[in-house]
Amino acid sequence: MTETIISATGLGRDFVVRTGRGLRRRRSITHAVADLDFTIDAGAAVGYIGANGAGKSTTIKMLTGILVPTSGRVQTCGLDPHRHRRELARRIGVVFGQRSQLWWDLPLAESYRALAAIHRLGPDTLRTRRATLVERLDLGDFLETPVRQLSLGQRIRGEIAAALLHSPELLILDEPTIGLDVLSKERLRQFLLEERAGGDTTLLLTTHDMDDVQRLTDRIIVVDHGRMAYDGSLPGLVERVGADRVIVVDLEETAAPLEDVAGTRLLGVEADGLRQRLAFTPGSTTAAAVLAQVSARAAVRDLTIEEPDIEDVVRRLYASGA
């Protein structure tokens, strides 16, 4: 039987907002998270996404015990997060992209020694685990450098290693690639893919970077104003909102515009008809069916398929909800 790592039932969190002054001061309630229901099983990789103010960070804080739910029930690693924060901390790793768990004025290596003591790791366990993380995250050149002198990319890699030092059951990443350059992002994504492939760590990722979602997760949960808007696979979301895929065909010889291919619409023609772009909606037809129709009219030299832009997909989902 698969172990459940996160379980939320009717989860909600309200905040009191006070405005005005003196006798005109008013009190209102903001529902940051409302009636969320979801479970995440061991070994899963889930993207938790939504617009700014959707309730993502509030949810993370309830999952880790920083905030107490106003309503509902939540368990993380089988524990009540707030009542068992100390025990839970030994079983999870958390990285907030704009906050640090490292000691600012100490070398990275000293932060790892301090964290190992907090998590009660023995010398041999620390030595082995640290060596693995240093090699795979390429930390060797700046292990003895104070954290305040590290570049953003170096610090984020150091944060990831710190969160994984004690081999947690659950890794929560809140905007881990924010501000990173393209090379640093790719290096971090590749590491996380390898880490998941080689162990049992469950990943919960909140991000605005849709490339992170596409590369790192198998399932996405979309929240809108604190409520569940979607829970399922990325292809399922694309199909639900009717977002188009695009097939780009390169032909052997010039051809007339392919305007009447069933189930498609012609987006553009280039190089006198040698390259043509056709959009189609998954569910109404398939790439294979489109290719068969095109091949019956002209010899196809090459083709590529462009997937829908995930940010556009999420915008469509919000629009349909509205």
Side-chain angles (χ1 to χ4, degrees):
M1 182 176 179
T2 304
E3 180 185 0
T4 298
I5 294 294
I6 295 174
S7 174
T9 306
L11 186 62
R13 173 70 195 197
D14 299 338
F15 292 98
V16 177
V17 179
R18 292 180 172 84
T19 57
R21 294 181 178 180
L23 296 176
R24 295 185 177 181
R25 191 164 187 175
R26 297 179 180 177
R27 178 179 179 273
S28 61
I29 303 296
T30 297
H31 305 292
V33 173
D35 201 28
L36 281 183
D37 292 302
F38 65 90
T39 60
I40 297 176
D41 292 333
V46 179
Y48 191 63
I49 64 176
N52 287 330
K56 304 186 301 297
S57 294
T58 301
T59 305
I60 296 301
K61 289 175 182 178
M62 288 190 287
L63 295 179
T64 55
I66 297 172
L67 288 177
V68 180
T70 305
S71 60
R73 182 170 178 267
V74 61
Q75 283 196 325
T76 305
C77 299
L79 301 171
D80 179 309
H82 188 73
R83 291 178 59 193
H84 302 97
R85 283 184 64 181
R86 183 171 296 180
E87 183 179 349
L88 181 61
R90 297 193 180 101
R91 300 175 62 179
I92 66 174
V94 183
V95 174
F96 292 102
Q98 296 182 339
R99 297 177 181 86
S100 181
Q101 62 187 311
L102 303 172
W103 279 261
W104 200 243
D105 293 313
L106 293 179
L108 200 55
E110 292 299 325
S111 287
Y112 294 156
R113 291 189 187 97
L115 288 168
I118 291 171
H119 291 295
R120 300 177 184 176
L121 301 183
D124 292 339
T125 302
L126 170 61
R127 190 180 305 110
T128 301
R129 182 61 172 163
R130 195 186 82 161
T132 299
L133 293 170
V134 166
E135 178 183 359
R136 292 176 60 193
L137 282 166
D138 196 19
L139 307 177
D141 291 342
F142 50 88
L143 263 182
E144 300 302 328
T145 302
V147 172
R148 58 183 165 78
Q149 295 179 9
L150 300 179
S151 68
L152 178 60
Q154 291 172 334
R155 184 177 66 78
I156 293 298
R157 279 149 54 200
E159 297 277 3
I160 297 286
L164 289 170
L165 192 66
H166 57 296
S167 302
E169 300 169 42
L170 171 65
L171 177 63
I172 298 176
L173 303 180
D174 188 3
E175 300 287 359
T177 62
I178 189 168
L180 297 186
D181 59 63
V182 173
L183 183 60
S184 296
K185 284 185 180 182
E186 184 56 33
R187 180 182 295 167
L188 183 55
R189 288 172 186 150
Q190 191 58 42
F191 166 77
L192 290 171
L193 287 170
E194 293 171 358
E195 180 70 16
R196 280 202 62 226
D200 300 322
T201 302
T202 303
L203 174 64
L204 179 62
L205 171 70
T206 74
T207 182
H208 284 90
D209 192 319
M210 294 302 108
D211 286 338
D212 288 347
V213 175
Q214 290 176 305
R215 291 282 303 278
L216 298 174
T217 66
D218 307 317
R219 169 188 168 196
I220 58 174
I221 296 174
V222 184
V223 287
D224 182 24
H225 292 90
R227 296 184 180 274
M228 182 82 71
Y230 177 81
D231 183 358
S233 67
L234 181 56
L237 176 59
V238 170
E239 183 174 351
R240 172 172 166 176
V241 300
D244 289 338
R245 300 174 78 192
V246 176
I247 183 168
V248 183
V249 290
D250 292 326
L251 306 177
E252 294 285 359
E253 299 178 355
T254 58
L258 300 169
E259 295 177 317
D260 56 347
V261 176
T264 73
R265 56 190 177 87
L266 183 64
L267 296 181
V269 178
E270 303 172 22
D272 295 325
L274 284 175
R275 170 171 288 184
Q276 305 201 27
R277 299 165 60 86
L278 302 168
F280 66 95
T281 302
S284 63
T285 188
T286 64
V290 173
L291 179 59
Q293 293 183 70
V294 173
S295 299
R297 304 183 186 193
V300 176
R301 179 170 57 85
D302 197 7
L303 69 91
T304 56
I305 296 177
E306 299 175 354
E307 298 296 341
D309 180 77
I310 183 60
E311 291 182 346
D312 180 57
V313 170
V314 173
R315 280 194 297 268
R316 286 170 179 253
L317 179 66
Y318 287 160
S320 67

